[in-house]
Amino acid sequence: MIRRLAAIAMLSIAAAGCSGDGADSQDSSGRAPGHSTPAEGGLSLSAGVWTETGGGGAAMIRVVATAPGEAWAVGTDGESLGRYGGSLQRWDGRVWRSTRPPEGLRYPKVVSGMSANNVWIFDRDADAWRWDGHRWSGRGRPPWPRSVVVEDAVVAGPADVWVAGTQNVGTRNSPSWRPLPLARWSPSGWSEVSSPSPYISRLSAAAPDDLWALAGGDLGDVSMIEHWDGHRWRAVHTPPSLSGAKVQFRDVVAISAREVWVAGSVLWPGRRQAALLMRWDGGRWNLAGGVSAGATSFGSVAPDGRGGVWLGASNYAYDDHRILLHFDGRSWTYEKAPRINNAPEVFDMAKVPGGDQVLAVGGNPSFDEHSSGWIWMRR
């Protein structure tokens, strides 16, 4: 499978409810004082209904919703199958349809957009195309070498796009990955922008001057967070209460200057890995608590439009199918997944603008060549 599938599996923390009391306002149980939570390991089942609405290939890996009746998703056939292709699908508000990709696009990796007439797609090698609402047009590529892999990309504004990537300085059979500088597109073309950490795995934008990145020293150490204020990138301290733990951040979603969510996992010495969720309130990170002790990691996060979030979870038990979780700021619930066979894993999520619909995409990475890609929707 592509590196993103092969690298998936790790993470998660039960910490404290998202209040404004600061990053370290926890009691000895790891929960925020005054916040009621479900019994440990006992998530409540919500009545929400998810249905499988599309899919294809070995996995659907990214999704973006740009309007009430407009969404895009990209998938991969999986390298382990000996097929190095992928799929591009478009949702028109009713059904998903396979869409002819832009000329030259063979291995779609990331899709991002901020409106129905400003959607960008990147292939594995960092070539870029833009959808203007009617057609795709090429936008070149960052000033990087050819042997690269795009890690993430985000459309931050009408004429502002950021891309993170790595370069393989080894061989195909024995890769060795070297971080690349962040790349930024504007109408004048592509440029490189330096950041405090060499490796960037995820990007999210609340505004052109309000971007967040998950960063680290290398591919296996994504334990830092960075912020772009319109002028420069700077490191943002994580909660002191996480000192001494091995933290792995996996996804970030920036909603506003006072609402940013980061999901991943944490491993304390002498304890087993747990799922981690943090919220930025404009001044500090607050840890969210009360999550099931069976969750090892959160791999994806999306806003619910009401101050809470949806998350894709990984669990210790193979038969623990609580992979679609919701946190409203105080309490946790889960909803039944449309498919539970072959250990499905959520790779990306997106809220559809203008309503309560939520999209989730994924596959079955534990089953390698037997993985199949899917798109789920909560209506």
Side-chain angles (χ1 to χ4, degrees), residues 104-110 121-129 141 146 148-150:
L105 174 66
R106 293 185 298 164
Y107 317 121
K109 182 69 187 293
V110 177
I121 190 169
F122 292 82
D123 67 11
R124 185 181 59 183
D125 300 320
D127 296 294
W129 292 263
R141 67 192 306 278
R146 268 288 163 189
V148 304
V149 169
V150 168

Side-chain angles (χ1 to χ4, degrees), residues 3 147 166-179:
R3 284 195 308 141
S147 56
T166 53
Q167 179 188 9
N168 182 11
V169 294
T171 65
R172 179 174 170 179
N173 294 328
S174 182
S176 177
W177 299 99
R178 179 177 70 88

Side-chain angles (χ1 to χ4, degrees), residues 150-162:
V150 168
E151 298 293 336
D152 202 9
V154 64
V155 179
D160 195 10
V161 181
W162 293 80

